[in-house]
């Protein structure tokens, strides 16, 4: 099975711009979660989508949003970028049944730099 | 909310055994997971404990005590490739919302 894929792998934007990141989960996985990783704050949960519905949301401002499509692919969007949004954005997919239901499989991440 | 504490750094020699501790405070608890992340890489799943006790997967074992809100990851027969950051994580509900500890950077020396 192919793993979780994320595009693009690297992005450079300027303050005030917006960005859209894409994630394709492992085939058959219906849960997609997004995390932000920074040296200062570590790994922080952004949101989770399951069957096109947001199931959980972390403590991030409304500038961060996401969605999931019927094929389970997910996108996240950050509007009005700030310098502090520079981070590695990780997507993780999970099965919701079976013995691997408690395992999240992470993609390689998108490295976003805001100048 | 959730908070997890783990040591920031641990150093050990090749062939040794190392234990990485994790204490947590949670409003809900659906198990303790461990992830490994090499520099420049993505986190990869190592182990999961929903119930008290020890789970063993090859050279890695993980332990959980729910009454003590405590768990640990045990790495045996350390290899150089085990040099990485290790994160404990909990879920507070049945969804896939993980709260991670700050990570423990393990350095394995020859």
């Amino acid at each position: 099975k192919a793993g979780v894929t994320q595009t693009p792998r690297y992005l450079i934007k300027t303050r005030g711009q917006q960005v859209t990141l894409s994630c394709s989960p492992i085939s058959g996985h219906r849960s997609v979660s997004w995390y932000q990783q920074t040296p200062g704050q570590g790994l922080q949960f952004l949101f989770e989508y399951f069957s096109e519905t947001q199931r959980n949301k972390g403590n991030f401002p409304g500038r961060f949003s996401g969605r999931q499509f019927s094929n389970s692919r997910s996108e996240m969007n950050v509007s009005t970028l700030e310098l502090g949004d520079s981070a590695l954005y990780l997507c993780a997919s999970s099965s919701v049944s079976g013995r691997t239901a408690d395992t999240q499989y992470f993609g390689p991440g998108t490295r976003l730099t805001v100048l | 909310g959730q908070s997890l504490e783990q040591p920031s750094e641990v150093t050990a020699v090749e062939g040794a055994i190392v234990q990485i501790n994790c204490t947590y405070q949670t409003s809900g608890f659906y198990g303790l997971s461990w992830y490994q992340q090499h520099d420049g890489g993505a986190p990869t799943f190592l182990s999961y404990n929903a119930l008290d006790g020890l789970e063993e997967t090859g050279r890695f074992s993980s332990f959980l005590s729910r009454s003590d809100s405590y768990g640990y990851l045990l790495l045996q027969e350390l290899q150089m490739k085990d040099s990485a950051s290790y994160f404990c994580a909990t879920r507070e509900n049945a969804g896939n919302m993980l709260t991670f500890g700050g990570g423990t950077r393990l350095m394995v020396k020859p």
Side-chain angles (χ1 to χ4, degrees), chain A residues 31 33 37 48 56 102 107, chain B residues 35 37 42 48 91 93 96 98:
Chain A
S31 168
S33 301
Q37 187 172 29
E48 180 206 3
N56 284 293
D102 301 303
Chain B
Y35 286 80
Q37 186 178 29
Y48 172 72
R91 289 189 298 157
N93 59 39
N96 286 307
L98 286 178

Side-chain angles (χ1 to χ4, degrees), chain A residues 3-7 9 88-91 106-111, chain B residues 37 40-43:
Chain A
V4 178
T5 59
Q6 292 186 245
T7 57
R9 292 293 311 279
L88 180 67
Y89 290 88
L90 292 158
C91 166
F106 284 82
T110 294
R111 173 76 61 186
Chain B
Q37 186 178 29

Side-chain angles (χ1 to χ4, degrees), chain B residues 3 14 16 18 24 32-33 36 50 56 63-65 69 73 92:
Chain B
S3 70
E14 213 173 358
V18 72
Y24 58 88
L32 184 71
S33 300
Q36 177 193 60
E56 296 181 79
F63 172 82
L64 175 65
S65 169
S69 297
L73 179 69
E92 66 180 88

Side-chain angles (χ1 to χ4, degrees), chain B residues 16-87:
Chain B
I17 299 172
V18 72
Q19 179 174 312
I20 299 174
N21 298 321
C22 174
T23 57
Y24 58 88
Q25 291 184 320
T26 64
S27 53
F29 184 75
Y30 272 70
L32 184 71
S33 300
W34 289 91
Y35 286 80
Q36 177 193 60
Q37 186 178 29
H38 286 98
D39 286 347
T44 57
F45 173 80
L46 290 176
S47 188
Y48 172 72
N49 294 71
L51 302 174
D52 291 354
L54 193 68
E55 293 282 341
E56 296 181 79
T57 309
R59 294 188 297 114
F60 295 178
S61 303
S62 59
F63 172 82
L64 175 65
S65 169
R66 288 176 298 168
S67 61
D68 295 322
S69 297
Y70 164 75
Y72 65 73
L73 179 69
L74 192 73
L75 297 85
Q76 303 182 73
E77 300 172 17
L78 280 173
Q79 302 176 8
M80 297 298 290
K81 67 179 181 179
D82 297 330
S83 293
S85 292
Y86 293 83
F87 296 88

